[in-house]
Every structure is written in structure tokens, then in C-alpha cells.
Amino acid sequence: MNTLRQIAFITTILITTFSCKEVNTSGASKAINLKDVYKENFYIGVAVNENQILENDSLEATRIENEFNSITAENIMKSMFIHPVKDSFDFKLTDKFVALGEKNNMFIHGHTLIWHSQLSPWFTEIKDSTEMANAMEHHIKTIVGRYKGKINSWDVVNEALNEDGTLRKTVFLDVLGEDYLPLAFKWAFEADANTKLYYNDYNMTNEEKRKGAIRMIKRIQEKGIKVDGIGMQGHWGLEKPSIEDIEKSILDYASLGVKVAITELDINVLPSPWDLVGADVNQNFEGSKKMNPYPKNLPDSIQTKFANRYQDIFKLFLKHQDKISRVTFWGVNDGQSWLNDWPIKGRTNYPLLFDRELKPKAAYDSIIALKLKYKSN
Ligand code: G3I
């Protein structure tokens, strides 16, 4: 066993005994948990769904409070929920989300203002550029303004790029042209000059997309408009992207003078239909053992690979902690993950740090062990 693995092993025993519990050390009360272990490095965030915002499950509420110091709403801030009809917003749940973050003294992240998906249908009916500009400005300023001084950062624009780095064809691009991008950032800034403004996307480690993102951000910056950060959605696999590609991307984005946030971290352990020759994601894989190989539990060998993968990724994050503002997991526990239903519905996936019973997994232990070892170096 190399030193890191030895320390990981010992720490695993310690963590299994102490994590998520109060520990009595010389009369003082102390807990080992993620947010505290990483508190000098970056925020440790989590995406929360409606049930979690409402704190329907007390154990889950405790996990969220104890382990994370930042929250993102998984769905309820998207335009179809928060601004379902043109003249009316629905802030019922978003107010509760913000109240939860405030109660727990968390860094609150807003997701997302301008996105082509989960989009309010009325947006798609707009054909006139002035009307689109007014609608976007009203949308952004009403939401950002309501939470001014409360929501600490925003995904101003989400997923505006194609895989080849060109701009995705959306209703915003169609009606307003490329200017919709700088304008969105400008309006968000005008509504709250202190909140941090991010561009957020997936596959941000792919070379062509990375170059496209950099071109796009530079064009916004050249207009004198503020962009504070790039969100790299970490929807990653057990092997891809490589640590080298993740590192190169963090460095390239940081060279724009912005922070990097890892915004939607999860590690998919299931086979991808795209890796099967001739596979079509729309094919019916229901009940396919090949595509859903671990319906009961994850074999130890994969659990270890998964834990090591998280450890390698976090090692890189620690190396570049000066460039990273926040690492957010896309969900609290495996049962909640969108990856159980995408790209094939009804599979059993294991992408997060807590299992379906909310118990911390070996991956949780591995990233705590890594940090404790890092500290002692
Ligand atoms: O709102 C309906 C509800 O009325 C209905 O009863 C229920 C039945 O399935 O579906 C609900 O809608 C679901 C919605 O989440 C809200 O819960 C949709 O079916 C479901 O497809 C949708 O999935 C979300 C997905 O975005 C949509 O694109 C996932 O939960 C969410 O994790 C995912 O998050 C995105 C990020 O926002 C952006 N980056 C990629 C990431 C993963 O796709």
C-alpha cells in the first residue's frame, strides 16, 4: 500500500467511527464533515430538490446542514417553475430555498437565469428582438433583484454552446443574436452588482467546446461587462474526462481572470449507450442487464474505483484551490440522482457520496482522507 492509500485506510476507520456524528474530544464537541474539512479550500455545495428544500426528511436535512456550506436549487429556479407565465412569477419555493440557505449560513447559488431547457413556453413565442430584450431584462432583474444581497452567485447563462464550440441555436440566439449573452450578464450586474456571475456548461473539458467558451467569455469581457466565473458541470465518468483534461480546462478558464466552480459533480458508474457500436439512446433498454448491471448494489471493485476516482479529482481541486471557488455535488444521495433516469430510464446508478440510506460511502471517506493527508504534508 502506498502512503496515501495507507492513510486513506486508517482515516476510513476513523471516519466510519466518527463521521456525521458528534465526537467528544477532551470535553469539546467536534464533528468530521466535508464542509469543515474543506473550509479553507473552497465551498462544498449540493443541489437540493423540492423535498429537501422543504426538509421533509429529517436525516437528509441533517446531512445537508452538516456536510455542505453551499446550496443550489436542482430545478425550482428554472424559468418554467419560477416564471411560468409572462406576467407572473412564482417565488413560493425559491423563497424557501433561500431561507434554508440563510438558516444554515450557506453560500447560496442561483441556477439558472437564461437556459433553453426547462424554459417557460411563453419565451418561445417571442419573435421580436425588442420584445425579447425586454422579456429577458424583466426576467433577470426581477429574480436577481428579489434576492439581491442574499443569492451569492448566479448561473446567468446555462449551456449556450454546441460541442464544436459554436453557439447553440436557441430562441434567445434566434431572436436577439449573439448580443443576448453580454446583455444577460449586464442585466444581472445591474440588478445586483455584488453577486458573482457565472457561465455554466457541461463537457467543458472537451477541447473544441473549451475554445468556444473562451472565445465567448472574451467577447463579453471585451465589452467591459463583468463575468466572475465559469461553471464546469462535473457530469463525469469513472475514466473520462482525464485528470489532465480537467486540469488544462481549469487553467485555461482561470487565465481569463475568472474563478472556476465545479458546479454539478457526479460520477456515472453505468455503461453508456453511446459506447455500444450502433447503439441508439432512444432504443428500449428496459430490463437490459447489460445496461443496468448493478440493480441491487455496487460491487466492491467498482466502489473502490469510484472512491479512487473522487480522490484523484479532489487531489486536482486541492492543487488548484486558488482558482476554484466551489465544488457542488449534483444531489445528496444516489437515490435522488438524475442519472438513474438518464440517458436510460429506470436504472440504478451510484454517482454521489451518500447511498440510498444516506450513509456516507467509501468515496466520502476517500476525499476526507485526502484532505487530512494534504494538511499534514
Ligand atoms: O415537474 C415534473 C412533475 O410535475 C412530474 O410529476 C415529474 C414526473 O417525472 O416530472 C417533473 O419534471 C422533472 C423535472 O426534473 C423536475 O423534477 C422532469 O421529468 C425531469 O426530466 C427533470 O430532470 C431535471 C433535468 O435537469 C432537466 O433537464 C433533473 O432533475 C436535473 O437534475 C437536471 O439538471 C441539469 C441542470 O439543471 C443543468 N445541467 C445538466 C443537469 C442534468 O441534466
Side-chain angles (χ1 to χ4, degrees), residues 73-75 78 80-81 111-112 115 117-118 158-159 200-202 233 235 264 266 330 336-338 342 345:
E74 185 179 5
N75 283 300
K78 294 166 180 174
M80 67 181 281
F81 297 112
H111 173 78
T112 169
W115 190 27
S117 187
Q118 290 177 291
N158 198 46
E159 300 172 8
N200 187 51
D201 211 330
Y202 57 85
Q233 298 178 14
H235 298 301
E264 303 184 12
D266 45 28
W330 206 238
Q336 156 196 8
S337 172
W338 71 292
W342 188 91
K345 272 204 172 301

Side-chain angles (χ1 to χ4, degrees), residues 219-263:
R219 280 202 296 267
I220 300 175
Q221 291 174 326
E222 279 158 14
K223 289 181 186 288
I225 292 169
K226 183 177 90 121
V227 177
D228 294 292
I230 305 257
M232 294 172 64
Q233 298 178 14
H235 298 301
W236 295 333
L238 283 171
E239 291 174 7
K240 287 189 235 163
S242 68
I243 295 295
E244 292 70 31
D245 282 346
I246 301 174
E247 178 164 40
K248 181 159 180 28
S249 309
I250 293 172
L251 293 174
D252 282 4
Y253 295 136
S255 73
L256 291 167
V258 301
K259 282 281 184 190
V260 175
I262 311 298
T263 51

Side-chain angles (χ1 to χ4, degrees), residues 156-167:
V156 178
V157 178
N158 198 46
E159 300 172 8
L161 292 164
N162 294 314
E163 294 310 291
D164 66 0
T166 57
L167 291 182

Side-chain angles (χ1 to χ4, degrees), residues 324-351:
I324 295 177
S325 51
R326 174 173 55 91
V327 176
T328 285
F329 292 87
W330 206 238
V332 181
N333 73 84
D334 287 342
Q336 156 196 8
S337 172
W338 71 292
L339 288 170
N340 293 303
D341 285 314
W342 188 91
I344 299 167
K345 272 204 172 301
R347 297 198 292 179
T348 309
N349 215 326
Y350 304 83

Side-chain angles (χ1 to χ4, degrees), residues 134-154:
N134 290 340
M136 279 178 60
E137 181 173 5
H138 179 58
H139 177 77
I140 292 172
K141 288 193 170 170
T142 305
I143 300 169
V144 177
R146 181 179 184 91
Y147 299 114
K148 183 176 179 178
K150 294 175 175 228
I151 291 199
N152 308 96
S153 63
W154 279 100

Side-chain angles (χ1 to χ4, degrees), residues 53 106 113 210 239 258 273 316 346 372:
I53 291 167
M106 289 162 150
L113 294 166
R210 181 168 67 227
E239 291 174 7
V258 301
L316 181 72
L372 299 184

